[in-house]
């Protein structure tokens, strides 16, 4: 670009910025991209439209380019569905999955084989107690597998990868809520070491860095700095004291780049922390004979709960936090870019959303920085995702810089101090080659990130690179390899593996028993056996972990039976080791689902009553695990069966036959193999139809009728009974109305809804426009009673006739199925039948609900008809149940069980009729 053109562009940018400011629009994208991108970088709006649907408390970049998010309960004490997720920056997708226990507030690093170690978590909230459990996430299977328990819990621990591939954990609250001041070291294939004490009580989430002399440097958050020596498992005294006199709570600490040019000089920088927070920073050169903290440049804002991420050009992006802890009103939205060469901060623009407690920033393979989370208040967290594109991705005019590319890197492990090749068409223009250890940040500190520069020479389309000299400088594991051109523009990274055994092919373990995942009951055992193979050596060791089992570990190829006493879902893992001390990078697993056990118990009632001729059903219910089976002993009445449903219930059901009235003692047993079988003495009572009531008698003077033969149509007809019913008596009413389709119901204020005896029956012939039905109340209330017939359609003709009956016993339903008939009379006699009763002392009730002329008593029945029926259309009294509406009721009592019928004499030989018949 020519000088005048450059000046013109800058002028236009300045004008655009002013115009945007005048109209009040956001400066988050366009002016920044055009004018400041190559100095401040860019925060593009809405880079990932899909929200972060779990609280991203912990994050780790995996060697497949995806990000493991671990939330556990997500800072919500009531949350029992513990979760994790995989975020794919390539497409913005988020895939959640459950985890077996609360991994909230763990420490996380990525092991040398590419699997993620999740160390401890939350056993209890408020006060917090730490889990003894740890787990490993395998990207190849997508599964979390528990490993050996630690000696004590660690809520808020720091885990640090060591030079030999082991991992040390330090601090955290134990299972009793006390600070765990010991160190434990985890070795893949053998588990946790003994606990090594420390001479001081550390803060939670201490800031720890492996440095080139093999020691681990403790930089805070307290003022006194120390070393831990993994070779002797001992601590130094205080080797330096910070200039900041307070505790840098939720400040951060960064090990600045280690490069051949600076002889891998370890310099650690601490920043921010405290509440109210400080904007100060300090640096310490650990290569000095007497290391001392020196003041560094101030950040643009004070920060607690901040984030800092190393970029592949060696600069550090510093962002997030607030002045007051967990206070969005004092959020620090300025982002700062620290340059270790100049020891100065410059602006990196502004991010859009407060990033406070439980926020994280993470370098991605495309050299951008992922920014997620923020959870200052329980129950809510920032779901929007941001992405920072650093200045090295832009030209001075704001356009995208041309990036160098990597054609290939070694696909097998690279040893230490070894030469290897990076294929690139840009070899002649490459100024640096760096390894970036993928980050694993949480709680304002990245436990994994480090940058290591590499020596190289350029050839034709190839870079001849020398790997780091040892694991103190770069612990074994997967790294992002970036190449940067002479303009400082980085490539998209490729993953490479640093290993102590580059020529060894790892062994492979196989679980031979059980062949698949299994489900058992608590207290049962699973038999385990396994084998291993090694293509370039021999398998020398077997390491089993049986989370939830007893024993919990084994070093045998065939451990045999492992007992699981507690319910839950557990993972068994086999890790084999070969003669080069290399372990299987993808150990096989089995999932053991253990169901709870509970002795059986019968929870349903111990008696029920059926009625002869009526379908009865009773459900037997149980509790117990496994699901109990049910059996019955004793004699059942004919027509009734007992069926085990196979789900912890059984059905006693059927239709008791005629002649089975009586009491049936039964024994019901529930069995599931746990404890003692449950046994219940059960009584089935079979009553006759009508619940065995007897001594029926008509109550003199009770018959009451009303009708509306003409006038206005209506949906109701009401009649006040001539006398108050006696409490507990049976009320019966016959109803007729002028519609073949309208439906009816009957009610009164005292007894509510009445029961219908079957469905309404429409007439035929001359009665084809009418319907009839019988209604009843088994046990009346003693009070003045007005009965109302209610129809679904307004009609002109409506009639009701009711009677009252005394009896002993109780009525739950009619004896047998009520019947209706519209068969015309023959020889002046109309008949209704088809009713079969089972009780020996029934009331059989019949009603002539409609007739062409008149109805009178049939043989063997006593007839009742109200001589003072109310004509509601004109208010007159008198028996007018004649001519298409004739209503007459009759009954006989003490009737023996069997087939029942009733007859009515009719006024002509072939009258059409509507007749009803039922029994109690």
């Amino acid at each position: 670009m020519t000088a005048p053109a450059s000046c013109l562009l800058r002028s236009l940018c300045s004008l655009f910025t002013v115009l945007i400011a005048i109209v009040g629009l956001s400066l988050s994208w366009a002016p920044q991209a055009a004018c400041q991108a190559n100095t401040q970088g860019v925060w593009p709006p809405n880079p990932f439209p899909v929200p972060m649907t779990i609280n991203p408390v912990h994050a780790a970049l995996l060697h497949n380019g995806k990000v493991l998010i671990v939330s556990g309960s997500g800072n919500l004490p009531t949350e029992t569905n513990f979760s994790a997720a995989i975020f794919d920056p390539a497409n913005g997708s988020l895939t959640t999955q459950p985890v077996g226990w609360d991994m909230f507030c763990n420490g996380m690093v990525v092991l040398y084989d590419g699997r993620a170690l999740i160390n401890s978590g939350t056993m209890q909230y408020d006060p917090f107690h730490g889990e003894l459990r740890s787990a490993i996430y395998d990207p190849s299977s997508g599964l979390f597998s528990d490993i050996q328990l630690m000696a004590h819990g660690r809520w808020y621990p720091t885990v640090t990868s060591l030079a030999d591939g082991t991992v040390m954990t330090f601090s955290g609250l134990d299972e009793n809520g006390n600070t765990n001041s010991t160190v434990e070291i985890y070795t893949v294939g053998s588990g946790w070491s003994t606990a090594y004490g420390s001479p001081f009580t550390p803060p939670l989430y201490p800031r720890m860095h492996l440095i080139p002399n093999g020691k681990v440097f403790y930089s805070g958050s307290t003022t006194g700095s120390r070393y831990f020596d993994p070779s002797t498992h001992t601590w130094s005294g205080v080797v330096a004291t910070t200039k900041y006199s307070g505790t840098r709570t939720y400040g951060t600490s960064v090990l600045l780049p280690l490069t051949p040019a600076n002889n891998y000089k370890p310099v650690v920088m601490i920043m921010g922390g405290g509440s109210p927070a400080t904007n100060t920073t300090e640096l310490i050169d650990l290569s000095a004979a007497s290391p001392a903290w020196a003041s560094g440049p101030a950040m643009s804002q004070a920060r607690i709960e901040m984030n800092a991420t190393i970029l592949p050009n060696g600069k550090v992006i510093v962002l997030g936090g607030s002045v007051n802890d967990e206070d969005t009103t004092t959020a620090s939205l300025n982002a700062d870019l620290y340059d270790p060469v100049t020891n100065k901060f410059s602006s990196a623009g502004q991010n859009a959303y407060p990033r406070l407690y439980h926020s994280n920033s993470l370098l991605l393979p495309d050299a951008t920085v992922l920014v997620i989370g923020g959870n200052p208040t329980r129950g809510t967290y920032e779901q929007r995702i941001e992405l920072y594109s650093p200045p090295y991705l832009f030209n001075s005019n704001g356009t995208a810089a041309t990036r160098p590319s990597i054609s290939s890197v070694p696909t097998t492990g690279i040893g230490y101090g070894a030469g290897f090749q990076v294929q690139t068409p840009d070899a002649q223009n490459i100024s640096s080659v760096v390894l970036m250890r993928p980050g694993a940040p949480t709680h304002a500190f990245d436990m994994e990130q480090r940058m290591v520069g590499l020596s190289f020479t350029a050839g034709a389309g190839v870079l001849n690179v020398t790997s780091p000299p040892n694991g103190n400088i770069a612990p074994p594991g997967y790294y992002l390899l970036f190449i940067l051109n002479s303009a400082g523009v980085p490539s998209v990274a490729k993953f490479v593996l640093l290993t102590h055994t580059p020529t060894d092919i790892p062994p492979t373990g196989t679980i031979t028993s059980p062949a698949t995942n299994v489900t058992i009951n608590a207290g049962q055992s699973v038999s385990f056996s396994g084998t291993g193979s090694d293509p370039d050596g021999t398998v020398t060791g077997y390491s089993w972990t049986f989370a939830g089992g007893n024993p919990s570990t084994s070093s045998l190829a065939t451990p045999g039976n492992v007992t699981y006493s507690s319910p839950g879902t557990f993972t068994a893992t086999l890790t084999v080791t070969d003669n080069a001390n290399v372990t299987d990078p993808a150990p096989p697993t089995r999932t053991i689902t253990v169901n709870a056990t509970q002795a059986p118990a019968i929870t349903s009632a111990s008696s029920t009553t059926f009625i002869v001729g009526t379908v009865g059903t009773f459900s037997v219910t149980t509790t117990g695990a496994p699901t109990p089976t049910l059996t019955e002993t004793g004699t059942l009445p004919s027509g009734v069966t007992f069926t085990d449903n196979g789900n912890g219930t059984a059905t006693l059901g059927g239709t008791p036959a005629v002649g089975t009235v009586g009491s049936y003692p039964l024994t019901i047993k529930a069995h599931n193999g746990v404890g003692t079988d449950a046994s219940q003495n059960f009584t089935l009572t079979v009553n006759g139809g009508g619940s065995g009531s007897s001594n029926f008698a008509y109550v003199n003077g009770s018959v009451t009728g009303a009708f509306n033969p003409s006038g206005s149509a209506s949906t109701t007809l009401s009649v006040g009974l001539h006398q108050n019913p006696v409490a507990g008596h049976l009320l019966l009413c016959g109803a007729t109305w002028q519609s073949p389709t309208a439906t009816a119901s009957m009610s009164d204020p005292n007894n509510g809804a009445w029961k219908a005896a079957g469905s309404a029956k429409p007439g035929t012939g001359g009665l084809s426009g009418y319907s009839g039905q019988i209604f009843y109340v088994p046990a009346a209330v003693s009070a003045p009673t007005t009965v109302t017939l209610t129809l679904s359609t307004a009609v002109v003709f409506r009639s009701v006739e009711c009677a009252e009956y005394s009896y002993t016993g109780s009525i739950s339903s009619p004896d047998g199925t009520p019947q209706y008939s519209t068969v015309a009379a023959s020889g002046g006699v109309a008949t209704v039948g088809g009713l079969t009763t089972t009780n020996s002392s029934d009331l059989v009730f019949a009603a002539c609900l409609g007739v062409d002329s008149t109805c009178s008593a049939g043989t063997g029945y006593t007839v009742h008809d109200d001589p003072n029926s109310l004509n509601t259309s004109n208010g007159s009294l008198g028996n007018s149940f004649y001519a298409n509406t004739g209503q007459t009721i009759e009954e006989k009592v003490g009737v023996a069980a069997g087939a029942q019928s009733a007859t009515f004499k009719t006024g002509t030989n072939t009258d059409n009729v509507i007749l009803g018949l039922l029994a109690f």
Side-chain angles (χ1 to χ4, degrees), residues 557-793:
T558 303
N561 287 334
V562 175
T563 302
Y564 292 84
S565 300
S566 300
T569 301
F570 305 100
T571 302
T573 305
L574 169 62
T575 303
V576 296
T577 304
D578 68 11
N579 56 306
N581 204 33
V582 174
T583 56
D584 183 353
T589 63
R590 290 289 183 269
T591 298
I592 313 299
T593 301
V594 184
N595 293 327
T597 58
Q598 179 185 354
I602 299 173
T603 56
S604 49
S606 60
S607 64
T608 192
T609 299
F610 287 1
I611 298 170
V612 170
T614 302
V615 175
T617 300
F618 180 82
S619 181
V620 180
T621 58
T622 66
T623 57
T627 300
T629 58
L630 287 154
T631 58
E632 171 273 328
T633 56
T635 302
L636 291 171
S638 176
V640 177
T641 61
F642 183 92
T643 303
D644 181 6
N645 299 321
N647 60 358
T649 69
T651 299
L652 181 68
T655 304
V658 174
T660 60
V661 173
S663 180
Y664 295 82
L666 308 173
T667 300
I668 299 174
K669 288 189 175 181
H671 169 81
N672 68 353
V674 179
T676 304
D677 289 353
S679 180
Q680 182 187 64
N681 294 324
F682 187 90
T683 301
L684 169 62
T685 300
V686 177
N687 289 332
S691 302
S693 303
S694 60
N695 299 318
F696 285 93
Y698 169 72
V699 176
N700 289 329
S702 65
V703 64
T704 304
F707 65 102
N708 188 92
S710 60
S712 301
S714 175
T715 58
T716 61
L717 176 67
S718 297
V719 57
L721 299 183
H722 290 327
Q723 55 198 39
N724 296 344
V726 175
H729 279 190
L730 170 67
L731 297 181
L732 280 161
C733 291
T736 310
W737 59 93
Q738 190 178 2
S739 171
T741 58
T743 59
S745 63
M746 193 163 287
S747 63
D748 73 73
N750 303 320
N751 297 293
W754 288 37
K755 296 183 179 181
S759 301
K761 185 70 173 180
T764 59
L767 299 179
S768 60
Y770 295 85
S771 296
Q773 193 173 13
I774 299 173
F775 299 88
Y776 67 94
V777 169
V781 174
S782 180
T785 301
T786 296
V787 175
T788 298
L789 171 69
T790 301
L791 302 170
S792 62
T793 302

Side-chain angles (χ1 to χ4, degrees), residues 410-426:
T411 56
T412 57
I414 301 169
Y416 287 96
F420 65 96
Q421 291 189 330
V422 175
Q423 306 293 327
T424 171
D426 306 295

Side-chain angles (χ1 to χ4, degrees), residues 409-655:
V409 295
T411 56
T412 57
I414 301 169
Y416 287 96
F420 65 96
Q421 291 189 330
V422 175
Q423 306 293 327
T424 171
D426 306 295
Q428 299 304 314
N429 192 35
I430 298 305
S431 62
S432 64
V433 180
V434 299
L435 294 180
M436 306 293 295
R437 191 167 181 94
T442 190
H443 292 79
F445 179 57
D446 194 320
M447 300 181 187
E448 280 279 79
Q449 69 172 347
R450 68 172 53 213
M451 172 182 162
V452 179
L454 302 178
S455 300
F456 71 96
T457 59
V462 65
L463 301 175
N464 297 297
V465 185
T466 302
S467 66
N470 57 59
N472 294 330
I473 292 170
Y478 284 92
Y479 285 80
L480 294 161
L481 185 145
F482 288 95
I483 59 175
L484 289 82
N485 64 20
S486 58
V489 181
S491 65
V492 174
K494 298 282 189 181
F495 282 94
V496 296
L497 175 63
L498 275 183
T499 174
H500 289 291
T501 54
T503 61
D504 186 81
I505 300 175
T508 300
T510 301
I511 296 177
T512 56
S513 176
T516 60
N517 300 332
V518 297
T519 299
I520 60 172
N521 296 319
Q524 293 183 323
S525 298
V526 178
S527 180
F528 287 93
S529 62
T531 186
S533 61
D534 185 31
D536 61 348
T538 59
V539 172
T540 58
Y542 293 83
S543 177
W544 293 85
T545 58
F546 306 111
N550 183 23
S552 60
T553 63
S554 176
S555 59
L556 301 176
T558 303
N561 287 334
V562 175
T563 302
Y564 292 84
S565 300
S566 300
T569 301
F570 305 100
T571 302
T573 305
L574 169 62
T575 303
V576 296
T577 304
D578 68 11
N579 56 306
N581 204 33
V582 174
T583 56
D584 183 353
T589 63
R590 290 289 183 269
T591 298
I592 313 299
T593 301
V594 184
N595 293 327
T597 58
Q598 179 185 354
I602 299 173
T603 56
S604 49
S606 60
S607 64
T608 192
T609 299
F610 287 1
I611 298 170
V612 170
T614 302
V615 175
T617 300
F618 180 82
S619 181
V620 180
T621 58
T622 66
T623 57
T627 300
T629 58
L630 287 154
T631 58
E632 171 273 328
T633 56
T635 302
L636 291 171
S638 176
V640 177
T641 61
F642 183 92
T643 303
D644 181 6
N645 299 321
N647 60 358
T649 69
T651 299
L652 181 68
T655 304

Side-chain angles (χ1 to χ4, degrees), residues 219-299:
S219 63
S221 57
T222 58
T223 58
S225 305
R226 299 171 183 263
Y227 292 114
F228 175 76
D229 189 339
S231 64
T232 61
H233 309 131
T234 58
W235 287 89
S236 71
V238 173
V239 296
T241 301
T242 61
K243 290 188 171 296
Y244 183 74
S245 60
T247 299
R248 291 183 179 269
T249 304
Y250 292 124
T252 196
S253 180
V254 176
L255 175 65
L256 297 179
L258 303 171
T259 68
N262 66 14
N263 199 29
Y264 306 108
K265 179 175 69 175
V267 175
V268 171
M269 183 178 192
I270 54 177
M271 295 173 262
S275 185
T278 178
N279 68 343
T280 63
T281 70
E282 299 179 52
L283 298 99
I284 189 169
D285 180 357
L286 297 175
S287 68
S290 298
W293 288 102
S295 296
M299 298 179 290

